[in-house]
């Protein structure tokens, strides 16, 4: 058997991940918030898209201070989303369809309403005291050091009960767990096993790079690049609060838990420069299978910068480290808003033709855009705490647009966030049968990727970045596939740089191009992208 045949790759290398923000996917109970029965109803839609891996943002019991990223019971289901029976049915229905389920795991912090924290805050002698990060006040009575919260203000919250502060990297309702404590580690590994025993196929680990903090509690240094437009959190470089050397031991331990079971997946949410990011694959690849690569989320939409980033990433990957690419998620402005509706097609083509596992954020497949949120509709605690800096995450979390009926078929109740005004035009039902729609374009690209080993698992070779043009080749032993993308709003031409004498177009952002040949000159229209099989 040839080493590079698709059957020698793991499912998570070959398949595409689809992120569901459960509050906004499909509401069957009528309370205006999505739920598990709603997701079950839509599984065939996801399957028919050609997607086999679903990652669902947190569905555990939670006071919802940070919409589920504040967990009060790691082994339960929030009644708003359904029951454990609903969850078991969801998992079963997913597996029946030969699909996989990835859960969000939030180990850095719990809710302040979690029984561990309730116990921990009772007294300095509580058996759970050391499960969280408690410190005496500074000599002036203020916080123990200068650590800040991502969501604004100090990272320390004073607790009168015991005259100490506890650390919270996010909201004060999200106290950080003390991962240096073996008891915390064991309790959290127990949680992982609970879900793995049930049969979940892996986890996306929330803020993996935050798990360990400096044990000397040193002050973070100032960030020399900080300006007033930034979030106040960026006043400091996170030298002592994130990406600490010992975090890798924890990731390795998580991976060992994952490896107690067959073929499960460990994804890490990590926002770091590439050199630091790739460390999370771990020594001898004993860390995360997929440390999320957010470069397409954070980089400017510029062909040269993107090519440089791809090449740097490809070069930095450890041997056997499998790449991955993300275009959007529930924390960042939607791709169609960042780059515009026309370029969103180019972005989809890029995501689905790069080497590595792609992650698609729900709704991007129909070209959903950020929805503008009036001040009295704001839900996101980040916007409430740090208003006016463009940090609101509600715009990218709005309900999925299923059809042209009231509330886009998302709910019979009052949707928890407003819908996009154009949902009558922009929805799944309307786009499914329209050949030129974004949804049909996504389906075509997904089918092509899944059919062509060159795209699914083949090598990547850069061809050029020039002006707005970005071109590369993906190749398997049998086939070479050429991709050229115009990231600009005016026409662009490739001639002497064309790395073949003849190619046949397999997919295009524009109608009427498929099946045509390419040879001496390629005239790309504004916002046009092509995928072509090299024949000579
Ligand atoms: C990252 C999650 O993606 C985000 O939504 C959340 O607010 C923070 N972690 C805190 O859990």
């Amino acid at each position: 058997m040839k080493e590079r045949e698709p059957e020698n790759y793991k499912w998570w290398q070959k398949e595409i991940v689809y992120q569901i923000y459960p509050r906004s996917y499909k509401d069957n109970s009528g309370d205006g918030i999505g739920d598990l029965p709603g997701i079950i109803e839509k599984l065939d839609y996801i399957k028919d898209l050609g997607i086999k891996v679903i990652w669902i943002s947190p569905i555990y019991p939670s006071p919802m201070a940070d919409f589920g990223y504040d967990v009060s019971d790691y082994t339960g289901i929030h009644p708003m989303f359904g029951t454990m029976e609903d969850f078991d049915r969801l998992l079963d229905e997913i597996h029946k369809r030969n699909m996989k389920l990835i859960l969000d795991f939030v180990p850095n912090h719990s809710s302040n309403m979690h029984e561990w924290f309730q116990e921990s805050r009772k007294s300095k002698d509580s058996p759970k005291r050391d499960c969280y990060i408690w410190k005496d006040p500074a000599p002036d009575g203020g916080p123990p050091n200068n650590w800040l919260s991502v969501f604004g203000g100090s990272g320390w919250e004073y607790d009168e009960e015991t005259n100490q502060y506890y650390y919270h990297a996010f909201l004060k309702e999200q106290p950080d767990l003390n991962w240096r404590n073996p008891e915390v580690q064991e309790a959290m590994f127990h949680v992982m096993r609970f879900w793995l025993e049930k049969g979940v196929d892996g986890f996306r680990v929330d803020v993996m790079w935050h798990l360990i903090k400096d044990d000397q509690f040193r002050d973070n240094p100032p960030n020399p690049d900080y300006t007033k437009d930034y979030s106040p959190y960026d006043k400091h470089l996170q030298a002592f609060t994130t990406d600490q050397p010992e975090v890798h031991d924890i990731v390795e331990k998580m991976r060992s838990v994952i490896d107690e079971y067959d073929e499960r997946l460990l994804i890490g949410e990590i926002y770091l420069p590439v050199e630091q990011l790739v460390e999370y694959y771990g020594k001898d690849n004993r860390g995360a299978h997929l440390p999320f690569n957010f470069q397409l989320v954070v980089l400017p939409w510029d062909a040269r910068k993107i090519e440089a980033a791809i090449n740097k990433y490809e070069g930095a990957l450890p041997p056997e480290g499998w790449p991955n690419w993300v275009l959007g998620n529930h924390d960042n402005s939607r791709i169609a808003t960042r780059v515009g509706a026309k370029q969103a097609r180019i972005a989809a083509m890029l995501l689905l033709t790069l080497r590595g596992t792609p992650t698609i954020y729900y709704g991007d497949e129909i070209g959903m855009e950020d929805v503008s949120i009036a001040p009295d509709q704001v839900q996101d605690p980040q916007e409430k705490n740090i208003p006016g800096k463009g940090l609101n995450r509600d715009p990218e979390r709005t309900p999925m647009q299923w059809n042209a009926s009231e509330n886009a078929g998302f709910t019979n109740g009052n949707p928890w966030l407003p819908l996009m005004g154009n949902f009558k035009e922009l929805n799944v039902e309307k786009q499914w049968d329209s050949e030129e729609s974004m949804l049909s374009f996504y389906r075509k690209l997904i089918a092509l990727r899944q059919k062509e080993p060159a795209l699914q698992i083949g090598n990547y070779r850069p061809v050029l970045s020039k002006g707005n043009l970005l071109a590369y080749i993906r190749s398997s032993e049998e086939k070479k596939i050429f991709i050229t993308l115009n990231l600009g709003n005016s026409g662009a031409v490739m001639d002497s740089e064309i790395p073949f004498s003849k190619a046949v177009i397999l997919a295009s952002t524009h109608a009427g191009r498929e099946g045509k040949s390419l040879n001496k000159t390629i005239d790309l229209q504004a916002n046009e992208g092509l995928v072509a099989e090299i024949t000579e």
Side-chain angles (χ1 to χ4, degrees):
M1 206 193 319
K2 283 192 219 147
E3 199 190 308
R4 290 192 44 234
E5 305 233 308
E7 51 271 29
N8 294 325
Y9 286 76
K10 305 275 190 222
W11 60 266
W12 49 267
Q13 297 177 299
K14 292 188 287 189
E15 301 300 337
I16 295 163
V17 180
Y18 184 75
Q19 181 191 356
I20 290 181
Y21 195 66
R23 295 178 66 90
S24 291
Y25 205 58
K26 177 70 176 59
D27 169 28
N28 277 14
S29 70
D31 64 356
I33 298 172
D35 46 41
L36 300 185
I39 298 177
I40 296 172
E41 185 194 309
K42 297 299 181 187
L43 287 178
D44 284 332
Y45 162 71
I46 301 168
K47 180 170 174 248
D48 292 347
L49 270 177
I51 291 173
K52 290 214 173 131
V53 187
I54 298 174
W55 150 38
I56 308 185
S57 286
I59 48 177
Y60 315 107
S62 158
M64 294 281 161
D66 189 22
F67 295 110
Y69 285 95
D70 48 324
V71 178
S72 52
D73 172 4
Y74 284 99
T75 54
I77 298 293
H78 196 304
M80 179 191 282
F81 294 125
T83 60
M84 193 55 92
E85 287 69 48
D86 291 327
F87 175 81
D88 291 338
R89 196 156 58 88
L90 171 70
L91 186 58
D92 193 45
E93 292 292 332
I94 286 179
H95 285 163
K96 266 194 210 151
R97 289 167 176 78
N98 195 21
M99 293 164 76
K100 307 277 183 186
L101 177 63
I102 306 299
L103 286 188
D104 214 309
F105 181 47
V106 191
N108 178 69
H109 42 268
S110 72
S111 161
N112 59 338
M113 299 313 280
H114 195 291
E115 60 181 18
W116 298 340
F117 188 73
Q118 291 292 315
E119 171 56 44
S120 180
R121 83 188 315 174
K122 278 189 188 155
S123 87
K124 286 187 184 164
D125 307 322
S126 158
K128 290 273 182 280
R129 188 66 170 179
D130 200 29
C131 291
Y132 293 85
I133 302 172
W134 292 96
K135 289 290 276 181
D136 284 334
D140 68 355
N145 65 20
N146 75 352
W147 294 358
L148 296 172
S149 155
V150 176
F151 290 154
S154 170
W156 295 98
E157 180 71 9
Y158 180 67
D159 204 40
E160 255 177 17
E161 193 79 17
T162 53
N163 186 32
Q164 281 195 321
Y165 284 82
Y166 66 86
Y167 176 64
H168 57 92
F170 296 89
L171 297 174
K172 65 179 188 326
E173 292 84 359
Q174 294 167 295
D176 277 44
L177 283 153
N178 175 15
W179 271 86
R180 292 185 184 270
N181 180 348
E183 192 190 325
V184 167
Q185 299 183 10
E186 268 322 306
M188 293 311 264
F189 299 152
H190 176 79
V191 169
M192 292 174 76
R193 290 190 188 101
F194 172 86
W195 294 106
L196 292 165
E197 291 290 335
K198 273 193 173 284
V200 308
D201 300 287
F203 299 104
R204 170 267 190 193
V205 178
D206 190 63
V207 295
M208 188 181 256
W209 84 116
H210 274 255
L211 290 173
I212 294 276
K213 293 87 187 162
D214 182 40
D215 56 358
Q216 296 170 56
F217 294 88
R218 283 169 282 186
D219 275 348
N220 277 325
N223 174 2
D225 298 328
Y226 174 77
T227 72
K228 290 232 148 42
D229 302 335
Y230 289 19
S231 162
Y233 178 68
D234 295 325
K235 275 185 190 150
H236 297 158
L237 299 174
Q238 300 301 317
F240 296 114
T241 34
T242 62
D243 197 33
Q244 300 300 292
E246 303 95 316
V247 73
H248 297 291
D249 302 335
I250 304 293
V251 176
E252 197 170 309
K253 285 184 186 175
M254 283 184 176
R255 171 63 180 275
S256 300
V257 174
I258 287 277
D259 285 349
E260 289 166 19
Y261 301 81
D262 271 357
E263 298 260 317
R264 311 294 167 100
L265 171 63
L266 187 65
I267 302 178
E269 184 210 18
I270 303 150
Y271 286 87
L272 282 176
V274 163
E275 303 78 6
Q276 288 152 274
L277 175 70
V278 295
E279 292 293 314
Y280 286 76
Y281 284 98
K283 224 201 264 149
D284 303 323
N285 275 296
R286 303 269 325 122
H289 294 107
L290 301 176
F292 261 152
N293 164 20
F294 294 121
Q295 294 184 89
L296 296 180
V297 175
V298 298
L299 276 178
W301 201 242
D302 174 294
R304 275 180 231 207
K305 292 200 172 117
I306 291 176
E307 187 193 51
I310 302 169
N311 295 348
K312 186 168 175 187
Y313 179 60
E314 283 279 350
L317 287 168
E320 310 291 314
W322 185 253
N324 75 88
W325 296 93
V326 179
L327 268 189
N329 58 34
H330 63 294
D331 294 328
N332 291 283
S333 176
R334 282 194 182 267
I335 184 69
T337 298
R338 280 189 280 127
V339 303
K342 290 184 178 147
Q343 280 295 313
R345 288 187 178 233
I346 297 289
M349 198 171 247
L350 178 65
L351 176 74
L352 291 164
T353 57
L354 280 173
R355 190 175 84 94
T357 306
T359 297
I360 297 174
Y361 184 48
Y362 86 94
D364 281 355
E365 75 273 23
I366 53 170
M368 273 175 67
E369 291 173 20
D370 290 355
V371 175
S372 95
I373 306 290
D376 63 342
Q377 293 173 319
V378 172
Q379 303 278 344
D380 182 11
Q382 178 162 252
E383 175 67 14
K384 288 184 179 168
N385 289 0
I386 317 173
K389 297 227 176 202
L391 297 174
N392 191 2
R393 298 172 296 175
D394 296 334
E396 63 264 17
R397 296 177 174 180
T398 62
M400 180 69 173
Q401 296 163 194
W402 293 107
N403 55 45
S405 72
E406 203 181 351
N407 296 324
F410 163 69
T411 182
N412 294 325
N414 270 333
W416 76 288
L417 279 175
L419 283 134
M420 205 166 148
N422 66 356
F423 73 81
K424 293 215 154 80
E425 289 308 307
L426 202 147
N427 63 61
V428 169
E429 198 176 282
K430 186 144 190 189
Q431 290 195 14
W432 191 268
D433 295 319
S434 142
E435 232 194 286
E436 301 312 322
S437 70
M438 182 66 147
L439 186 55
S440 298
F441 182 62
Y442 257 95
R443 284 163 64 199
K444 190 180 291 171
L445 288 174
I446 291 169
L448 187 61
R449 179 181 180 96
Q450 300 313 88
K451 177 174 139 252
E452 293 293 352
L455 292 176
Q456 200 180 29
I457 53 166
N459 292 333
Y460 159 86
R461 179 157 70 80
V463 172
L464 96 144
S465 64
K466 196 182 76 176
N468 288 322
L469 277 182
L470 172 64
Y472 47 94
I473 290 175
R474 299 288 316 283
S475 53
S476 62
E477 275 160 32
E478 286 81 29
K479 259 188 200 171
K480 281 196 171 62
I481 296 185
F482 172 73
I483 296 102
T484 181
L485 306 170
N486 181 0
L487 273 65
N489 207 3
S490 50
V493 180
M494 263 183 95
D495 39 40
S496 59
E497 309 98 342
I498 298 176
F500 51 78
S501 9
K502 198 170 165 224
V504 177
I505 298 177
L506 302 174
S508 161
T509 47
H510 288 46
R513 285 281 228 170
E514 256 174 67
K516 304 249 159 73
S517 295
L518 295 175
N519 41 38
K520 286 204 172 55
T521 311
I522 306 176
D523 268 314
L524 283 163
Q525 296 173 45
N527 308 303
E528 186 175 21
L530 298 171
V531 180
E533 181 180 341
I534 297 178
T535 48
E536 280 166 38

